[in-house]
Amino acid sequence: MTDAKTPFGATALALALLATPAAAQPRDTLTIGLAQATGTFHPNIESMLAKSYILGFARRPLTAHGPDWRPLCTGCESFPTLENGQVVQETTPDGKPGMRVTWRLREDLRWGDGRPVTAEDLRFAWEAGRAFETGFGGAEFYRSAYEFQSTDPRTVTLRFDKVSFDAGSAGKFEPLPAHIDRPIWEADRRNYRSRTAYDTNTTNPGLWNGPYRIAAVQPGAGVTLERNEAWAGPAPAFRRINIRVVENSAALEAQLLAGQIDMIAGELGLSLDQAIALERRSRNRFRFEYRPGLVWEHLDLRLDNPVLSDVRVRQALMLAIDRPKIVQSLFDNRQPVAATSIHPDDPMIDKALTPWPHDPARAAALLDEAGWRPGPDGIRRNAAGERLTLDLQTTAGNRSRETVLQVIQGMWRAAGVEARIANQPPRVLFGETLSQRRFQGAALFAWISSPENVPRSTLHSDEIPTAARNWSGQNYPGYSNPEMDALLEALPQELDAAKRRPMWSRLQALTHRDLPAIPLWHRAEPHVWPQWLDGVRPTGNMSPSSLWVTDWRVR
């Protein structure tokens, strides 16, 4: 992410709205606290939960996963399946097994400037996604979709050169307003990421096709959403929604208690420990819901760091962390310790694979074996006298994560590993440090996914971000394993769930052994609402609750 992506459109009105206490506002306005800012508002560039939450109010993707974790249509008429004939197995022109998937857009779907959302908007998304220079997320989806077909303005068919059990899920294939952004893309494809209207003209109504449109942006501090007059679906209850970004979680709680915000987004708000403590003090003022979700907290490790390239060191770091103690002391045992990224409620979990234990003696033996011996000050050194030192970082201002890092720092110190904490604002950590692989040691953050989500973008060697790839991909550790690559390519093509199960087990075994990332726990999301608000439905998956904002009502 570069400075050129700074959103524009901040106005005196926006500043006033973001600064006005919620208690003084009428009930037709809702002010929501969010713990992170987003670097880009483009739906297909970069994966950030803060962006997904905000865009849930203002956009309708083709498909999503509901609160019951089942796939459904949000921008289309019916979800494509083999059974309803919208997914068809076929042979590609070069003789490979392939698929043909058809989506039909909702008739009433319109951009905020009144133009219908059409097949041409999906054609533009497909062409830009396939272009090497663009560097969209979900690049594998676009590479596999080798042909675009459209028989009328609302019907789109993609032909894929691979078979996939979740072919009906559109993922990052979302309509983009071709009448606005296509000329920008065609003028300079490589720099489109920094010149898109989503970030240079964010308040343009024609960018938004949801119940709300972004009316003003205060960079790094908040967003004002207003009703989209072109929206033909159920009318939302609130005339205006203010998203206030408060990256310091203690300040976020203080603003809630002071009435400056009405609610805190569970997807990206208070930490679990903070919410538990707040509920004990303020249960009569607010409603609390703890939603177990597909949110995996972990430490990504930079595998091409010579220290971390040794799997014995990675395993020792894992063994040195007492995760059950952290979960008990900080999180009231409300979230399970993770064996891998796969959630215990996911249908493909391998229950025979248990989380790594806390075993300081085994950690010490592995470090000895790897050539790291205790020095006079307790910090281990190799034969060249170099100290075993690692950078350790997370999102600055997140009190819970900062506390976790301090605990891990102490536990690694007991094992002879020196950790230097260097936290960064979320927009820097996610926008540059991770996405451009500038970190050198370990970074604590979370991934959120959908049920039975094949983690190609985070584990396949083709998804390692590089300048040559325009930094697309999310394999930030730089993990490269031919067996894993083969699994990630074969898994989506197996349509029989029973036959996928052993493949999923092997995938979990590899990540459990190789530890490209240190698994910590599966997070429970604490949602905090005012007593007068009804209808919010947390999902626990990558489709945010904001997608169902038209169900939100004042009591």
Side-chain angles (χ1 to χ4, degrees):
M1 182 186 314
T2 65
D3 290 339
K5 287 188 179 178
T6 300
F8 108 120
T11 65
L13 171 63
L15 294 172
L17 290 171
L18 291 166
T20 303
Q25 297 170 355
R27 283 284 192 262
D28 67 348
T29 297
L30 179 69
T31 301
I32 304 172
L34 197 65
Q36 288 181 11
T38 182
T40 175
F41 288 94
H42 195 294
N44 292 2
I45 296 175
E46 298 175 3
S47 292
M48 278 192 74
L49 187 52
K51 179 181 70 174
S52 296
Y53 184 79
I54 294 170
L55 297 195
F57 296 107
R59 286 185 57 86
R60 283 298 169 266
L62 277 181
T63 64
H65 282 80
D68 60 359
W69 291 12
R70 295 185 180 184
L72 48 78
C73 265
T74 51
C76 51
E77 289 186 341
S78 58
F79 189 85
T81 65
L82 287 166
E83 290 73 21
N84 66 18
Q86 290 175 234
V87 178
V88 178
Q89 290 184 262
E90 62 178 15
T91 302
T92 65
D94 56 359
K96 297 192 302 184
M99 275 185 161
R100 185 171 71 249
V101 184
T102 298
W103 294 272
R104 184 162 175 78
L105 289 162
R106 280 173 32 189
E107 185 176 11
D108 62 356
L109 200 61
R110 281 172 167 69
W111 300 110
D113 56 9
R115 288 176 177 254
V117 178
T118 71
E120 287 307 303
D121 299 313
L122 285 167
R123 183 188 299 275
F124 168 47
W126 175 73
E127 290 178 359
R130 283 179 61 80
F132 169 79
E133 307 95 328
T134 310
F136 273 5
E140 174 58 23
F141 175 95
Y142 291 105
R143 285 195 294 267
S144 179
Y146 67 90
E147 184 176 307
F148 181 102
Q149 299 173 342
S150 178
T151 56
D152 62 65
R154 291 173 48 213
T155 304
V156 165
T157 298
L158 290 184
R159 299 182 71 189
F160 294 89
D161 61 7
K162 291 182 180 179
V163 173
S164 175
F165 68 84
D166 63 348
S169 292
K172 284 286 187 182
F173 183 46
E174 292 192 34
L176 298 175
H179 64 293
I180 295 175
D181 250 24
R182 178 182 279 281
I184 300 171
W185 176 70
E186 289 180 343
D188 188 351
R189 294 186 178 190
R190 187 163 190 87
N191 291 307
Y192 169 68
R193 290 166 63 99
S194 62
R195 297 181 179 181
T196 168
Y198 281 103
D199 294 328
T200 62
N201 191 12
T202 310
T203 59
N204 187 330
L207 299 172
W208 312 112
N209 61 14
Y212 290 90
R213 60 181 177 82
I214 293 181
V217 176
Q218 185 182 4
V223 171
T224 299
L225 298 131
E226 294 185 351
R227 285 179 184 152
N228 183 356
E229 294 179 359
W231 171 252
F238 300 98
R239 179 173 57 89
R240 178 179 293 125
I241 292 179
N242 296 324
I243 306 294
R244 179 174 297 171
V245 175
V246 186
E247 294 185 342
N248 183 288
S249 53
L252 183 63
E253 178 182 329
Q255 290 195 23
L256 178 73
L257 293 172
Q260 295 173 316
I261 57 177
D262 296 311
M263 63 177 276
I264 295 177
E267 287 85 349
L268 203 59
L270 295 181
S271 60
L272 181 59
D273 58 321
Q274 194 174 4
I276 292 169
L278 177 62
E279 184 179 15
R280 294 190 184 114
R281 303 191 308 270
S282 305
R283 67 177 72 247
N284 294 328
R285 288 187 58 188
F286 305 101
R287 297 167 60 198
F288 294 80
E289 180 171 328
Y290 301 90
R291 169 74 190 217
L294 294 164
V295 184
W296 179 55
E297 291 273 355
H298 63 282
L299 285 164
D300 261 12
L301 303 176
R302 177 74 185 247
L303 300 192
D304 42 7
N305 177 329
V307 174
L308 294 171
S309 65
D310 190 329
V311 70
R312 295 169 297 184
V313 173
R314 303 198 297 271
Q315 291 175 352
L317 294 174
M318 176 82 265
L319 291 162
I321 302 174
D322 191 345
R323 293 175 297 163
K325 183 177 181 180
I326 297 175
V327 168
Q328 179 183 20
S329 59
L330 295 183
F331 307 120
D332 198 29
N333 280 327
R334 294 197 187 214
Q335 47 195 18
V337 168
T340 68
S341 64
I342 310 302
H343 192 276
D345 293 335
D346 192 288
M348 290 301 168
I349 185 71
D350 185 347
K351 295 183 178 180
L353 197 66
T354 58
W356 283 82
H358 175 230
D359 192 338
R362 188 176 167 198
L366 283 169
L367 290 173
D368 286 342
E369 184 182 326
W372 296 98
R373 302 284 179 174
D377 59 355
I379 299 300
R380 291 175 177 267
R381 290 165 169 78
N382 62 14
E386 299 168 325
R387 295 165 66 86
L388 182 47
T389 302
L390 295 171
D391 290 339
L392 187 59
Q393 55 197 149
T394 190
T395 47
N398 185 310
R399 187 171 67 186
S400 176
R401 282 181 175 163
E402 290 176 338
T403 301
V404 167
L405 276 203
Q406 291 167 4
V407 174
I408 291 175
Q409 181 186 44
M411 292 175 174
W412 282 357
R413 179 66 174 78
V417 180
E418 180 181 48
R420 301 176 301 202
I421 294 178
N423 297 330
Q424 296 179 333
R427 59 187 177 276
V428 177
L429 182 66
F430 296 119
E432 300 171 6
T433 303
L434 286 170
S435 65
Q436 297 184 20
R437 302 191 70 232
R438 296 181 182 180
F439 73 110
Q440 297 301 318
L444 168 61
F445 66 103
W447 285 123
I448 184 167
S449 66
S450 55
E452 201 177 347
N453 178 63
V454 178
R456 178 189 172 95
S457 69
T458 59
L459 291 174
H460 198 289
S461 62
D462 284 350
E463 301 296 331
I464 300 172
T466 63
R469 287 171 45 88
N470 207 12
W471 304 112
S472 65
Q474 296 166 324
N475 185 348
Y476 303 145
Y479 180 58
S480 181
N481 181 324
E483 184 182 0
M484 176 62 76
D485 287 352
L487 274 172
L488 293 168
E489 290 164 9
L491 249 176
Q493 302 182 55
E494 179 52 67
L495 304 183
D496 188 327
K499 293 180 180 178
R500 288 199 302 274
R501 187 168 299 281
M503 301 166 72
W504 272 109
S505 293
R506 182 56 183 162
L507 182 149
Q508 292 167 71
L510 287 175
T511 57
H512 188 270
R513 180 197 70 190
D514 294 347
L515 293 175
I518 290 179
L520 296 176
W521 37 77
H522 299 283
R523 197 169 76 201
E525 297 175 347
H527 294 256
V528 186
W529 309 315
Q531 293 286 355
W532 47 262
L533 180 65
D534 275 337
V536 183
R537 293 187 294 164
T539 67
N541 61 57
M542 67 194 310
S543 298
S545 59
S546 52
L547 278 173
W548 289 271
V549 66
T550 54
D551 295 334
W552 298 10
R553 289 291 180 268
V554 176
R555 282 187 175 183

